[in-house]
Amino acid sequence: MSMEQLKSDVAEFAALLEQAKSARVKGVLTTGKAEVEREIVNLEMKARLAAERQASGSSEAKRYLHELTDYGWDQSAKFVKLFITLNGVQGCSEEAVTVNYTETSLQLHVRDLSGKDFGLTVNNLLHAIDVDKSYRKIKTDMVAIYLKKAEEGVNWDVLTSIQKRLKQKQDTEMTKDTDNPESTLVNIMKKMYNDGDSKTKQMIAKAWTESQEKSRMGKEFDGAGGLDTLGDL
């Protein structure tokens, strides 16, 4: 998809957000808008790197940027810390591992690691960071990024504002129909199904199927309609 189309999509999401009233709808639109913005950032990064490689006239022009999506994170009173596993990264020079920061985002770029480039983009950080006091360290098979909290002592329960909205949406779904025990149980199973790994999903699917078979002659769980309902949320 072209950059122009992506920017048009962002503008449309923004317009729809202004009109949306339901918290559920706003959550869906916000998530969609963030995903498109992430695509724009990645395209911009790839275009910039391609231009740099072409200008250098080196073998860099032949390397493809591998987008990283997995990382762990932790925090202290002063810093939010991200840990990105990259085998052999300790062999890279300091200049080959760079991080660009804004108050609410970061972009990691690792150049020429085993003939490949790697990038990680995190947008919409939950709170602002101090760009000048944020830094990164190269460790054995890992890059550690230290984001200096603009407001020390503030706890980050999630890393990004998008994750915050999704968590609030899930919590809202969990608290609905609290007077109906069966409905509450269904919501719990849905959340476990959505959040679980493949093994957990198989276990819940089996339990759900057995429960549906036992209640076939009686009242089913609040009209839940089976596993497709679990997977849709």
Side-chain angles (χ1 to χ4, degrees):
M1 189 174 293
S2 68
M3 181 69 75
E4 291 74 16
Q5 181 61 54
L6 289 173
K7 289 182 177 179
S8 175
D9 289 348
V10 169
E12 187 170 352
F13 271 121
L16 291 172
L17 271 169
E18 290 182 358
Q19 300 175 27
K21 296 180 180 179
S22 164
R24 185 187 184 94
V25 173
K26 287 182 179 179
V28 172
L29 292 173
T30 300
T31 301
K33 181 172 177 286
E35 285 297 321
V36 177
E37 289 173 338
R38 183 166 171 267
E39 288 185 49
I40 290 176
V41 170
N42 288 336
L43 279 181
E44 290 174 342
M45 176 189 284
K46 290 177 181 179
R48 185 179 72 251
L49 294 177
E52 291 174 356
R53 292 168 184 168
Q54 187 172 7
S56 67
S58 68
S59 60
E60 289 188 24
K62 301 178 182 179
R63 294 200 306 269
Y64 179 76
L65 177 66
H66 295 259
E67 183 180 352
L68 301 170
T69 56
D70 294 331
Y71 56 85
W73 73 283
D74 196 359
Q75 64 181 307
S76 64
K78 295 182 179 181
F79 287 90
V80 171
K81 296 165 279 188
L82 275 69
F83 306 100
I84 303 96
T85 300
L86 273 174
N87 291 334
V89 70
Q90 66 273 15
C92 294
S93 66
E94 290 290 329
E95 294 75 19
V97 182
T98 59
V99 183
N100 294 322
Y101 308 93
T102 72
E103 286 190 352
T104 57
S105 70
L106 68 93
Q107 283 185 331
L108 166 69
H109 183 212
V110 180
R111 292 179 173 84
D112 197 13
L113 173 57
S114 300
K116 301 176 182 178
D117 285 6
F118 296 87
L120 170 70
T121 300
V122 180
N123 293 317
N124 303 294
L125 293 171
L126 184 62
H127 299 295
I129 62 172
D130 187 329
V131 172
D132 294 335
K133 294 182 180 179
S134 297
Y135 62 97
R136 64 102 181 101
K137 287 184 178 180
I138 302 175
K139 301 186 176 185
T140 302
D141 296 332
M142 178 183 292
V143 178
I145 300 175
Y146 297 81
L147 305 175
K148 177 65 173 63
K149 293 180 178 180
E151 189 173 352
E152 294 183 6
V154 173
N155 182 68
W156 294 31
D157 53 347
V158 292
L159 186 61
T160 70
S161 58
I162 302 302
Q163 292 169 344
K164 180 77 170 181
R165 286 180 179 271
L166 291 176
K167 184 175 182 296
Q168 290 173 336
K169 176 178 176 292
Q170 289 179 338
D171 291 344
T172 299
E173 291 294 327
M174 289 288 291
T175 56
K176 284 181 179 178
D177 301 321
T178 53
D179 293 334
N180 187 334
E182 288 188 349
S183 179
T184 301
L185 177 59
V186 170
N187 283 332
I188 292 173
M189 292 183 71
K190 287 177 182 178
K191 187 176 188 302
M192 291 173 64
Y193 186 88
N194 290 330
D195 294 346
D197 56 21
S198 58
K199 185 175 181 179
T200 300
K201 289 183 178 182
Q202 289 175 1
M203 293 174 61
I204 295 175
K206 182 180 178 181
W208 183 277
T209 301
E210 291 176 352
S211 173
Q212 291 294 83
E213 289 176 353
K214 289 180 181 178
S215 62
R216 185 177 300 167
M217 301 304 295
K219 182 179 179 181
E220 294 185 350
F221 279 172
D222 196 28
L227 290 176
D228 287 342
T229 305
L230 290 176
D232 288 341
L233 293 185

